[in-house]
């Protein structure tokens, strides 16, 4: 099963992706995670991406599209993939359609997680992420068992550089202008499911599971 997770920053895409990949046989592809890994390893791609990410802007389409096209040509994605944070512009969606056609693949479902802007800010500002395995927590809504420590690997949690309130507001307006039009794009393709993201994490996952059905 091939799925796209769509939604504004802080909607819960990464959190739901963790549950989806446990229950379904899909490979998680998060463009944000790929960029953050490149920044940590100080690669040329990481250095370029950081300039945009720190300001809350999108990384230029050409850098992202190539990266995803490469990833989708690898063997493991044949079992199914979950795109998280891609596409983010109409151009990226059109390029993705071309890559899918070329590889004889299709998207089975677009999961669109809907959350109001004020809630998004509260979520993003309180987000804490494990430096080592990337598990996502929230200081109030999804706290770790021990403050500041990852439940899974015992390593320290940290706050993302782009989760400062000012930058989050910027990312939300970038979402509204550049990414939101994708809802109409996929509605026209007829495979979108709109999910109420303003429920408990488990309830959101239940709604996603009903939308995905028993497909594997
Ligand atoms: P995204 O990947 O869409 O940016 P995340 O999954 O990282 O979003 O979630 C953003 C923050 O909100 C995290 O701190 C996460 O723990 C928290 N969160 C995710 N889903 C919910 C929810 N349904 N209710 C409350 N907090 C949530
Ligand atoms: P969130 O969903 O919380 O905004 P992500 O981890 O998906 O977080 O993205 C973080 C940042 O990485 C974005 O603000 C943007 O700068 C960059 N980025 C990630 N995916 C893309 C993409 N598909 N196109 C352009 N920039 C991207």
């Amino acid at each position: 099963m091939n799925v796209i997770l769509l939604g504004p920053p802080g909607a819960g895409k990464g959190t739901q992706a963790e549950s989806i990949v446990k229950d379904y046989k899909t490979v998680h592809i998060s463009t944000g995670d790929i960029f953050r890994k490149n920044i940590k390893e100080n690669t040329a791609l990481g250095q370029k991406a950081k300039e945009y990410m720190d300001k809350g802007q999108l990384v230029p389409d050409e850098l992202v599209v190539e990266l995803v096209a490469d990833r989708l040509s690898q063997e493991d994605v044949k079992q199914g993939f979950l795109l998280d944070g891609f596409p983010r512009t109409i151009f990226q969606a059109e390029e993705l359609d071309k890559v899918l056609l070329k590889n004889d693949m299709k998207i089975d479902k677009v999961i669109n997680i809907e959350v109001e802007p004020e809630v998004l800010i509260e979520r993003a500002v309180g987000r804490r992420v494990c430096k080592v395995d990337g598990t996502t927590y929230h200081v109030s809504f999804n706290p770790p068992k021990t403050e500041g420590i990852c439940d899974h690997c015992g390593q320290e949690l940290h706050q993302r550089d782009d989760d400062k309130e000012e930058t989050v507001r910027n990312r939300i307006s970038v979402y509204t202008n550049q990414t939101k039009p994708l809802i109409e794009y996929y509605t026209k393709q007829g495979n979108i499911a709109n999910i109420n993201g303003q429920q408990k994490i488990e309830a959101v996952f239940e709604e996603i599971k009903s939308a995905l059905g028993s497909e594997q």
Side-chain angles (χ1 to χ4, degrees):
M1 187 181 53
N2 302 329
V3 175
I4 293 175
L5 269 182
L6 201 62
K13 300 182 295 297
T15 302
Q16 295 302 328
E18 285 173 28
S19 302
I20 295 170
V21 295
K22 273 187 204 146
D23 273 30
Y24 296 83
K25 283 186 230 125
T26 51
V27 178
H28 182 199
I29 304 174
S30 156
T31 41
D33 285 351
I34 297 173
F35 287 135
R36 280 184 290 275
K37 184 164 181 277
N38 275 273
I39 290 173
K40 206 168 141 194
E41 291 165 1
N42 203 20
T43 66
L45 175 66
Q47 285 172 7
K48 272 191 223 156
K50 189 170 168 34
E51 274 177 49
Y52 300 92
M53 289 169 77
D54 281 352
K55 291 186 212 141
Q57 295 168 356
L58 293 184
V59 175
D61 281 337
E62 59 273 19
L63 293 181
V64 192
V65 168
E66 201 188 309
L67 188 128
V68 175
D70 256 24
R71 187 66 189 87
L72 291 180
S73 70
Q74 290 168 20
E75 199 52 35
D76 61 341
V77 301
K78 293 204 174 118
Q79 64 175 291
F81 58 82
L82 177 65
L83 283 173
D84 164 6
F86 181 92
R88 254 180 156 98
T89 61
I90 293 284
F91 179 81
Q92 291 180 15
E94 288 169 349
E95 291 300 306
L96 173 64
D97 282 343
K98 290 183 202 163
V99 172
L100 294 172
L101 198 67
K102 203 172 111 198
N103 294 348
D104 198 20
M105 299 190 294
K106 68 173 177 65
I107 298 298
D108 298 297
K109 204 59 138 191
V110 177
I111 297 288
N112 176 39
I113 307 181
E114 299 178 308
V115 175
E116 308 275 312
E118 285 313 309
V119 177
L120 294 173
I121 292 167
E122 206 183 357
R123 285 194 187 174
V125 170
R127 169 163 46 196
R128 298 292 181 271
V129 183
C130 174
K131 278 184 177 171
V132 177
D133 69 15
T135 310
T136 302
Y137 300 88
H138 189 281
V139 288
S140 324
F141 307 140
N142 186 22
K145 291 193 182 89
T146 311
E147 198 186 317
I149 302 293
C150 179
D151 291 349
H152 300 138
C153 68
Q155 298 296 313
E156 233 177 280
L157 303 181
H158 80 128
Q159 185 173 26
R160 272 168 46 175
D161 288 343
D162 59 350
D163 275 343
K164 296 181 188 75
E165 182 167 340
E166 188 62 24
T167 318
V168 174
R169 286 193 188 274
N170 221 350
R171 285 159 57 205
I172 294 171
S173 79
V174 166
Y175 164 82
T176 307
N177 296 325
Q178 304 197 54
T179 309
K180 214 173 168 192
L182 291 180
I183 298 175
E184 200 190 327
Y185 183 90
Y186 287 114
T187 304
K188 279 189 187 143
Q189 288 195 0
N191 54 356
I192 197 166
N194 295 312
I195 305 289
N196 173 11
Q198 275 176 242
Q199 315 175 66
K200 289 225 157 64
I201 293 174
E202 297 73 20
V204 177
F205 185 49
E206 285 307 314
E207 218 181 301
I208 292 177
K209 278 203 287 194
S210 349
L212 295 178
S214 54
E215 283 187 74
Q216 277 295 318

